[in-house]
Short mmCIF file of all heavy atoms in Angstrom, two decimals:
data_model
loop_
_atom_site.label_atom_id
_atom_site.label_comp_id
_atom_site.label_asym_id
_atom_site.label_seq_id
_atom_site.Cartn_x
_atom_site.Cartn_y
_atom_site.Cartn_z
N ARG A 1 -60.00 134.88 6.72
CA ARG A 1 -61.15 135.66 7.18
C ARG A 1 -62.30 135.44 6.20
O ARG A 1 -62.09 135.10 5.05
CB ARG A 1 -60.80 137.14 7.25
CG ARG A 1 -59.74 137.46 8.28
CD ARG A 1 -59.38 138.89 8.23
NE ARG A 1 -58.67 139.14 6.97
CZ ARG A 1 -57.91 140.19 6.75
NH1 ARG A 1 -57.79 141.10 7.65
NH2 ARG A 1 -57.30 140.34 5.60
N ALA A 2 -63.49 135.68 6.66
CA ALA A 2 -64.66 135.51 5.80
C ALA A 2 -64.84 136.75 4.95
O ALA A 2 -65.68 137.60 5.21
CB ALA A 2 -65.90 135.24 6.64
N GLU A 3 -64.02 136.89 3.94
CA GLU A 3 -64.08 138.03 3.05
C GLU A 3 -64.13 137.55 1.61
O GLU A 3 -63.65 136.47 1.29
CB GLU A 3 -62.84 138.92 3.21
CG GLU A 3 -62.72 139.56 4.55
CD GLU A 3 -61.44 140.37 4.70
OE1 GLU A 3 -60.57 140.28 3.82
OE2 GLU A 3 -61.32 141.09 5.70
N GLY A 4 -64.68 138.36 0.75
CA GLY A 4 -64.70 138.04 -0.67
C GLY A 4 -65.93 137.28 -1.07
O GLY A 4 -66.85 137.05 -0.29
N GLU A 5 -65.94 136.91 -2.32
CA GLU A 5 -67.06 136.17 -2.89
C GLU A 5 -66.76 134.67 -2.86
O GLU A 5 -65.62 134.27 -3.05
CB GLU A 5 -67.27 136.61 -4.34
CG GLU A 5 -67.70 138.05 -4.49
CD GLU A 5 -69.06 138.32 -3.86
OE1 GLU A 5 -69.96 137.47 -4.02
OE2 GLU A 5 -69.20 139.36 -3.20
N PRO A 6 -67.80 133.84 -2.65
CA PRO A 6 -67.57 132.40 -2.71
C PRO A 6 -66.97 132.02 -4.06
O PRO A 6 -67.36 132.54 -5.10
CB PRO A 6 -68.97 131.81 -2.54
CG PRO A 6 -69.75 132.87 -1.84
CD PRO A 6 -69.18 134.18 -2.34
N SER A 7 -66.00 131.12 -4.03
CA SER A 7 -65.38 130.67 -5.27
C SER A 7 -65.33 129.15 -5.38
O SER A 7 -64.68 128.61 -6.25
CB SER A 7 -63.96 131.24 -5.38
OG SER A 7 -63.15 130.78 -4.32
N ILE A 8 -66.02 128.48 -4.47
CA ILE A 8 -66.07 127.02 -4.49
C ILE A 8 -67.51 126.57 -4.29
O ILE A 8 -68.22 127.10 -3.43
CB ILE A 8 -65.18 126.43 -3.37
CG1 ILE A 8 -63.72 126.82 -3.58
CG2 ILE A 8 -65.33 124.92 -3.30
CD1 ILE A 8 -62.81 126.46 -2.43
N HIS A 9 -67.96 125.62 -5.09
CA HIS A 9 -69.25 124.95 -4.88
C HIS A 9 -68.96 123.56 -4.34
O HIS A 9 -68.09 122.87 -4.87
CB HIS A 9 -70.02 124.80 -6.19
CG HIS A 9 -70.81 126.00 -6.55
ND1 HIS A 9 -71.69 125.99 -7.60
CD2 HIS A 9 -70.89 127.24 -6.03
CE1 HIS A 9 -72.25 127.18 -7.72
NE2 HIS A 9 -71.78 127.96 -6.77
N ILE A 10 -69.70 123.16 -3.32
CA ILE A 10 -69.60 121.80 -2.79
C ILE A 10 -70.91 121.08 -3.12
O ILE A 10 -71.97 121.46 -2.64
CB ILE A 10 -69.37 121.81 -1.27
CG1 ILE A 10 -68.13 122.63 -0.93
CG2 ILE A 10 -69.25 120.37 -0.75
CD1 ILE A 10 -67.93 122.88 0.55
N ASP A 11 -70.80 120.08 -3.96
CA ASP A 11 -71.96 119.29 -4.38
C ASP A 11 -72.02 118.02 -3.54
O ASP A 11 -71.01 117.33 -3.39
CB ASP A 11 -71.83 118.93 -5.87
CG ASP A 11 -72.96 118.05 -6.34
OD1 ASP A 11 -74.13 118.42 -6.14
OD2 ASP A 11 -72.68 116.96 -6.90
N VAL A 12 -73.18 117.73 -2.97
CA VAL A 12 -73.40 116.51 -2.20
C VAL A 12 -74.30 115.62 -3.03
O VAL A 12 -75.37 116.04 -3.47
CB VAL A 12 -74.05 116.83 -0.83
CG1 VAL A 12 -74.29 115.55 -0.04
CG2 VAL A 12 -73.20 117.82 -0.05
N ALA A 13 -73.86 114.37 -3.28
CA ALA A 13 -74.61 113.50 -4.17
C ALA A 13 -74.61 112.06 -3.66
O ALA A 13 -73.72 111.64 -2.92
CB ALA A 13 -74.01 113.54 -5.58
N THR A 14 -75.62 111.33 -4.08
CA THR A 14 -75.74 109.90 -3.77
C THR A 14 -76.09 109.16 -5.05
O THR A 14 -76.31 109.77 -6.09
CB THR A 14 -76.87 109.66 -2.73
OG1 THR A 14 -78.11 110.13 -3.28
CG2 THR A 14 -76.59 110.36 -1.42
N ASN A 15 -76.12 107.84 -4.96
CA ASN A 15 -76.62 107.03 -6.09
C ASN A 15 -77.27 105.78 -5.55
O ASN A 15 -77.19 105.49 -4.36
CB ASN A 15 -75.50 106.72 -7.09
CG ASN A 15 -74.49 105.73 -6.58
OD1 ASN A 15 -74.84 104.69 -6.07
ND2 ASN A 15 -73.21 106.07 -6.68
N GLY A 16 -77.92 105.04 -6.40
CA GLY A 16 -78.64 103.86 -5.98
C GLY A 16 -77.84 102.57 -6.00
O GLY A 16 -78.38 101.51 -5.74
N PHE A 17 -76.54 102.65 -6.27
CA PHE A 17 -75.73 101.45 -6.40
C PHE A 17 -75.01 101.06 -5.11
O PHE A 17 -74.65 99.91 -4.92
CB PHE A 17 -74.70 101.61 -7.52
CG PHE A 17 -75.35 101.83 -8.86
CD1 PHE A 17 -75.33 103.07 -9.46
CD2 PHE A 17 -76.00 100.79 -9.51
CE1 PHE A 17 -75.94 103.28 -10.68
CE2 PHE A 17 -76.61 100.98 -10.74
CZ PHE A 17 -76.58 102.23 -11.33
N HIS A 18 -74.75 102.01 -4.25
CA HIS A 18 -74.08 101.73 -2.99
C HIS A 18 -74.41 102.83 -2.00
O HIS A 18 -75.10 103.78 -2.33
CB HIS A 18 -72.56 101.59 -3.16
CG HIS A 18 -71.96 102.69 -3.98
ND1 HIS A 18 -71.83 103.98 -3.54
CD2 HIS A 18 -71.46 102.68 -5.24
CE1 HIS A 18 -71.26 104.72 -4.47
NE2 HIS A 18 -71.04 103.96 -5.52
N GLU A 19 -73.92 102.71 -0.77
CA GLU A 19 -74.30 103.65 0.30
C GLU A 19 -73.37 104.85 0.40
O GLU A 19 -73.51 105.64 1.32
CB GLU A 19 -74.31 102.91 1.64
CG GLU A 19 -75.36 101.84 1.72
CD GLU A 19 -75.38 101.15 3.08
OE1 GLU A 19 -74.37 101.24 3.81
OE2 GLU A 19 -76.39 100.53 3.39
N LEU A 20 -72.41 105.00 -0.49
CA LEU A 20 -71.47 106.10 -0.39
C LEU A 20 -72.13 107.44 -0.71
O LEU A 20 -73.07 107.51 -1.49
CB LEU A 20 -70.29 105.89 -1.35
CG LEU A 20 -69.44 104.64 -1.11
CD1 LEU A 20 -68.40 104.50 -2.20
CD2 LEU A 20 -68.79 104.70 0.26
N VAL A 21 -71.62 108.49 -0.07
CA VAL A 21 -72.03 109.86 -0.37
C VAL A 21 -70.83 110.55 -0.98
O VAL A 21 -69.71 110.43 -0.48
CB VAL A 21 -72.48 110.59 0.92
CG1 VAL A 21 -72.73 112.06 0.66
CG2 VAL A 21 -73.73 109.93 1.49
N ARG A 22 -71.06 111.28 -2.07
CA ARG A 22 -69.97 111.98 -2.74
C ARG A 22 -69.99 113.45 -2.37
O ARG A 22 -71.02 114.11 -2.43
CB ARG A 22 -70.12 111.86 -4.26
CG ARG A 22 -68.95 112.52 -5.00
CD ARG A 22 -69.20 112.59 -6.48
NE ARG A 22 -70.16 113.68 -6.73
CZ ARG A 22 -70.59 114.03 -7.93
NH1 ARG A 22 -70.18 113.39 -8.99
NH2 ARG A 22 -71.45 115.02 -8.07
N LEU A 23 -68.83 113.97 -1.98
CA LEU A 23 -68.62 115.41 -1.81
C LEU A 23 -67.70 115.83 -2.94
O LEU A 23 -66.57 115.36 -3.02
CB LEU A 23 -67.98 115.75 -0.47
CG LEU A 23 -68.77 115.42 0.79
CD1 LEU A 23 -67.97 115.82 2.02
CD2 LEU A 23 -70.11 116.10 0.78
N ALA A 24 -68.17 116.70 -3.81
CA ALA A 24 -67.38 117.16 -4.95
C ALA A 24 -67.20 118.66 -4.85
O ALA A 24 -68.17 119.40 -4.71
CB ALA A 24 -68.06 116.79 -6.26
N LEU A 25 -65.94 119.13 -4.91
CA LEU A 25 -65.64 120.55 -4.82
C LEU A 25 -65.21 121.06 -6.19
O LEU A 25 -64.30 120.50 -6.81
CB LEU A 25 -64.52 120.81 -3.80
CG LEU A 25 -64.94 120.84 -2.33
CD1 LEU A 25 -65.40 119.48 -1.86
CD2 LEU A 25 -63.82 121.36 -1.49
N TRP A 26 -65.88 122.09 -6.64
CA TRP A 26 -65.62 122.72 -7.93
C TRP A 26 -65.26 124.18 -7.74
O TRP A 26 -65.89 124.87 -6.93
CB TRP A 26 -66.87 122.68 -8.81
CG TRP A 26 -67.45 121.34 -9.05
CD1 TRP A 26 -68.35 120.68 -8.25
CD2 TRP A 26 -67.21 120.49 -10.16
NE1 TRP A 26 -68.68 119.48 -8.81
CE2 TRP A 26 -68.00 119.34 -9.98
CE3 TRP A 26 -66.41 120.60 -11.29
CZ2 TRP A 26 -68.00 118.29 -10.89
CZ3 TRP A 26 -66.42 119.55 -12.20
CH2 TRP A 26 -67.20 118.42 -12.00
N ASN A 27 -64.28 124.67 -8.49
CA ASN A 27 -64.01 126.11 -8.52
C ASN A 27 -65.08 126.76 -9.38
O ASN A 27 -65.51 126.20 -10.38
CB ASN A 27 -62.64 126.41 -9.12
CG ASN A 27 -61.53 126.25 -8.12
OD1 ASN A 27 -61.69 126.56 -6.95
ND2 ASN A 27 -60.40 125.74 -8.57
N ILE A 28 -65.49 127.97 -8.98
CA ILE A 28 -66.46 128.72 -9.76
C ILE A 28 -65.89 130.11 -10.05
O ILE A 28 -65.06 130.62 -9.30
CB ILE A 28 -67.82 128.85 -9.04
CG1 ILE A 28 -67.66 129.48 -7.65
CG2 ILE A 28 -68.51 127.50 -8.96
CD1 ILE A 28 -68.96 129.81 -6.96
N ASP A 29 -66.34 130.70 -11.13
CA ASP A 29 -65.87 132.05 -11.47
C ASP A 29 -66.83 133.08 -10.90
O ASP A 29 -67.78 132.76 -10.19
CB ASP A 29 -65.67 132.20 -12.98
CG ASP A 29 -66.95 132.06 -13.78
OD1 ASP A 29 -68.06 132.19 -13.21
OD2 ASP A 29 -66.87 131.83 -15.00
N SER A 30 -66.59 134.34 -11.21
CA SER A 30 -67.39 135.43 -10.64
C SER A 30 -68.84 135.41 -11.09
O SER A 30 -69.70 136.04 -10.47
CB SER A 30 -66.77 136.78 -11.01
OG SER A 30 -66.74 136.94 -12.41
N THR A 31 -69.15 134.66 -12.16
CA THR A 31 -70.54 134.55 -12.61
C THR A 31 -71.24 133.33 -12.02
O THR A 31 -72.40 133.08 -12.29
CB THR A 31 -70.62 134.47 -14.15
OG1 THR A 31 -70.05 133.23 -14.59
CG2 THR A 31 -69.92 135.64 -14.80
N GLY A 32 -70.51 132.53 -11.22
CA GLY A 32 -71.09 131.34 -10.61
C GLY A 32 -70.97 130.10 -11.47
O GLY A 32 -71.50 129.05 -11.11
N GLN A 33 -70.24 130.18 -12.59
CA GLN A 33 -70.06 129.04 -13.47
C GLN A 33 -68.85 128.21 -13.03
O GLN A 33 -67.82 128.76 -12.64
CB GLN A 33 -69.86 129.50 -14.91
CG GLN A 33 -71.05 130.23 -15.48
CD GLN A 33 -72.30 129.36 -15.51
OE1 GLN A 33 -72.26 128.23 -15.98
NE2 GLN A 33 -73.39 129.88 -15.01
N MET A 34 -68.99 126.88 -13.08
CA MET A 34 -67.87 126.01 -12.75
C MET A 34 -66.74 126.21 -13.76
O MET A 34 -66.99 126.37 -14.95
CB MET A 34 -68.31 124.56 -12.76
CG MET A 34 -69.19 124.20 -11.60
SD MET A 34 -69.58 122.45 -11.63
CE MET A 34 -71.31 122.52 -11.26
N THR A 35 -65.52 126.22 -13.25
CA THR A 35 -64.36 126.39 -14.12
C THR A 35 -63.43 125.21 -13.95
O THR A 35 -63.22 124.73 -12.84
CB THR A 35 -63.59 127.68 -13.77
OG1 THR A 35 -63.13 127.59 -12.43
CG2 THR A 35 -64.46 128.90 -13.92
N GLY A 36 -62.90 124.75 -15.04
CA GLY A 36 -61.90 123.68 -14.98
C GLY A 36 -62.46 122.36 -14.52
O GLY A 36 -63.66 122.19 -14.33
N PRO A 37 -61.56 121.41 -14.26
CA PRO A 37 -61.98 120.08 -13.83
C PRO A 37 -62.35 120.06 -12.36
O PRO A 37 -62.11 121.02 -11.63
CB PRO A 37 -60.71 119.24 -14.08
CG PRO A 37 -59.60 120.21 -13.92
CD PRO A 37 -60.13 121.52 -14.45
N LEU A 38 -62.93 118.96 -11.95
CA LEU A 38 -63.28 118.73 -10.55
C LEU A 38 -62.02 118.85 -9.70
O LEU A 38 -60.99 118.28 -10.02
CB LEU A 38 -63.88 117.32 -10.43
CG LEU A 38 -64.29 116.82 -9.07
CD1 LEU A 38 -65.47 117.63 -8.55
CD2 LEU A 38 -64.68 115.36 -9.16
N ASP A 39 -62.10 119.62 -8.61
CA ASP A 39 -60.93 119.82 -7.75
C ASP A 39 -60.74 118.69 -6.74
O ASP A 39 -59.65 118.18 -6.56
CB ASP A 39 -61.04 121.14 -7.00
CG ASP A 39 -60.87 122.32 -7.93
OD1 ASP A 39 -60.03 122.24 -8.83
OD2 ASP A 39 -61.58 123.31 -7.74
N VAL A 40 -61.80 118.33 -6.04
CA VAL A 40 -61.73 117.30 -5.01
C VAL A 40 -63.00 116.47 -5.09
O VAL A 40 -64.09 117.01 -5.25
CB VAL A 40 -61.62 117.90 -3.59
CG1 VAL A 40 -61.69 116.82 -2.53
CG2 VAL A 40 -60.36 118.73 -3.45
N CYS A 41 -62.84 115.17 -4.99
CA CYS A 41 -64.00 114.28 -4.96
C CYS A 41 -63.76 113.25 -3.86
O CYS A 41 -62.84 112.45 -3.95
CB CYS A 41 -64.20 113.60 -6.31
SG CYS A 41 -65.70 112.61 -6.37
N ALA A 42 -64.57 113.31 -2.81
CA ALA A 42 -64.44 112.38 -1.69
C ALA A 42 -65.68 111.49 -1.64
O ALA A 42 -66.79 111.99 -1.70
CB ALA A 42 -64.27 113.15 -0.38
N LEU A 43 -65.46 110.20 -1.54
CA LEU A 43 -66.55 109.24 -1.38
C LEU A 43 -66.54 108.78 0.07
O LEU A 43 -65.55 108.21 0.55
CB LEU A 43 -66.37 108.05 -2.31
CG LEU A 43 -66.35 108.39 -3.80
CD1 LEU A 43 -66.11 107.12 -4.62
CD2 LEU A 43 -67.63 109.07 -4.23
N LEU A 44 -67.64 109.05 0.77
CA LEU A 44 -67.71 108.77 2.19
C LEU A 44 -68.72 107.66 2.49
O LEU A 44 -69.87 107.74 2.04
CB LEU A 44 -68.14 110.02 2.96
CG LEU A 44 -67.29 111.27 2.76
CD1 LEU A 44 -67.96 112.47 3.41
CD2 LEU A 44 -65.92 111.05 3.35
N PRO A 45 -68.31 106.64 3.26
CA PRO A 45 -69.27 105.64 3.72
C PRO A 45 -70.16 106.26 4.80
O PRO A 45 -69.83 107.31 5.36
CB PRO A 45 -68.39 104.53 4.27
CG PRO A 45 -67.12 105.19 4.65
CD PRO A 45 -66.95 106.35 3.71
#
């Protein structure tokens, strides 16, 4: 259910070296700060 506070940030990024788009998912704490290592990193053509 849509309850509680958001605890994941999804960063969408690109670069000038290729056409891939990166989706990176990070856990965040109650203050909005990223915690721990990157959880998921998907490179999409």
Side-chain angles (χ1 to χ4, degrees):
R1 294 176 291 199
E3 295 177 350
E5 295 296 319
S7 62
I8 298 171
H9 275 188
I10 304 171
D11 177 53
V12 180
T14 60
N15 71 49
F17 298 107
H18 48 71
E19 295 182 341
L20 299 175
V21 172
R22 183 189 77 179
L23 296 180
L25 280 67
W26 303 87
N27 279 323
I28 56 172
D29 64 18
S30 61
T31 67
Q33 297 299 311
M34 288 184 224
T35 61
L38 179 67
D39 289 322
V40 174
C41 185
L43 300 178
L44 304 171

